[in-house]
Amino acid sequence: MVNVLVTGGAGFIGSNFVRYALDRHHDWRVTTLDKLTYAGRLENLQGVMEHPRHEFVKGDVADPGVAAPLAAAADVIVHFAAETHVDRAIMSAGEFITTDVYGTFVLLEAALQNPRLRRFVQISTDEVYGSISEGASLETDELKPRNPYSASKAGADRLAYSYWATYQVPVIITRASNNYGPYQFPEKIIPLFITNAIDDKPLPLYGDGLNERDWLHVGDHCRAIELLIDRGYPGEVYNVGGGNHVRNADLTRRILQLVGKPETLIQPVADRPGHDRRYSLDTSKLQAIGWHPQVPFEQGLDDTVSWYRRNEQWWRTIKDQDPEFRKYYERQYGGSAS
Ligand code: NAD
Ligand code: TYD
């Protein structure tokens, strides 16, 4: 059996990966380590909590008492655990440093004590390149993060690399573009706008709405990680992008069309401070080892809208019942989008 430790496995991408991994690899035993922050939810792991090859451990990746024994028993580590929302980082960055940077350090230190570790996959992000006005970022490009989230991720990205360069911990770094799909916490633009539209609430579009993101279906991201565990080279960085470059205003209109709601729901609001204008990735390095995105954006977005329609209970528990979310929403959007 291959022991796979997944940190942050109760979050959006992590839970999709845990489900995918258990389904695809019958010789993998998966341990999920997750602190269950506001973004981590056991409901995201529904259907696999009782799986005979899956164990869930509640704990902090930055706590060596929890993280070290799990890392010591792993053949593969996939490190998703992080604070992930740019707007929350702008409000308060402390947790981003303790989890994204220090937590990664703790896990790397633990990995260093495990001579049989085959892969340490550091889940980084395209946001570490910063905003690029044209062209596509290459893995060799300079990192120019511009907000506390992307800066903490850049720190973790380079820290992970340093454990390869210095100690030969078999680190692989992925830099994925914006993900979308089922179980995404409804603070990020796609699930927030789908669920606000369903409820006829305003869709708070930042600034002029012309900021551009490259959308990647979470299933395509999971397939990329799977391939890299098998065929990626330690010490290397791999961009993972869907190649779907969409401006926020166009994305918003597409969501409204799919939900069947009028464009009058679009509510222009003040811009995000330091808002990165555009991300775009060159993915030829990953494509050269056999990965290609499989989910066309139109199809993926349509499926995602259907998922949020079918799983109202999941997001209503967060949006309508969780006081933490209501407080965050009020603080972020004030009266402008309620
Ligand atoms: P998410 O916010 O949905 O989930 C994060 C998970 O990490 C949650 O389950 C949370 O409880 C857990 N966590 C947070 N702090 C922890 C700690 N100290 N110890 C243990 N667990 C902790 O995030 P996501 O969107 O699934 O992102 C997962 C990873 O992918 C992150 O590293 C993120 O930077 C990266 N990434 C995300 C995107 C995207 O578009 N969502 C794109 C590129 C890269
Ligand atoms: P988000 O989903 O927060 O991801 P990221 O900041 O990591 O790219 O935001 C995606 C884009 O959508 C980004 O340009 C900011 C914009 N946005 C809005 O216009 N309104 C919103 O309410 C949110 C959450 C995001």
Side-chain angles (χ1 to χ4, degrees), residues 84-87 127 149 178 187-190 192-193 204-206 211 213 215 248 272 275-276 279 333:
T84 64
H85 192 39
V86 173
D87 293 322
E127 304 197 19
Y149 164 66
N178 284 63
E187 65 189 352
K188 305 281 166 56
I189 190 170
I190 289 184
L192 178 68
F193 282 15
L205 186 60
Y206 296 160
N211 300 64
R213 297 293 184 263
W215 291 98
N248 292 339
R272 170 186 282 175
H275 195 173
D276 283 346
Y279 304 130
Y333 301 104

Side-chain angles (χ1 to χ4, degrees), residues 2 30 35 53 81 94 130 144 154 179 184 248 256 265 268 273:
V2 181
V30 177
K35 189 180 172 184
R53 285 181 288 108
K144 293 182 178 170
N179 280 222
Q184 187 167 29
N248 292 339
L256 285 167
L265 283 180

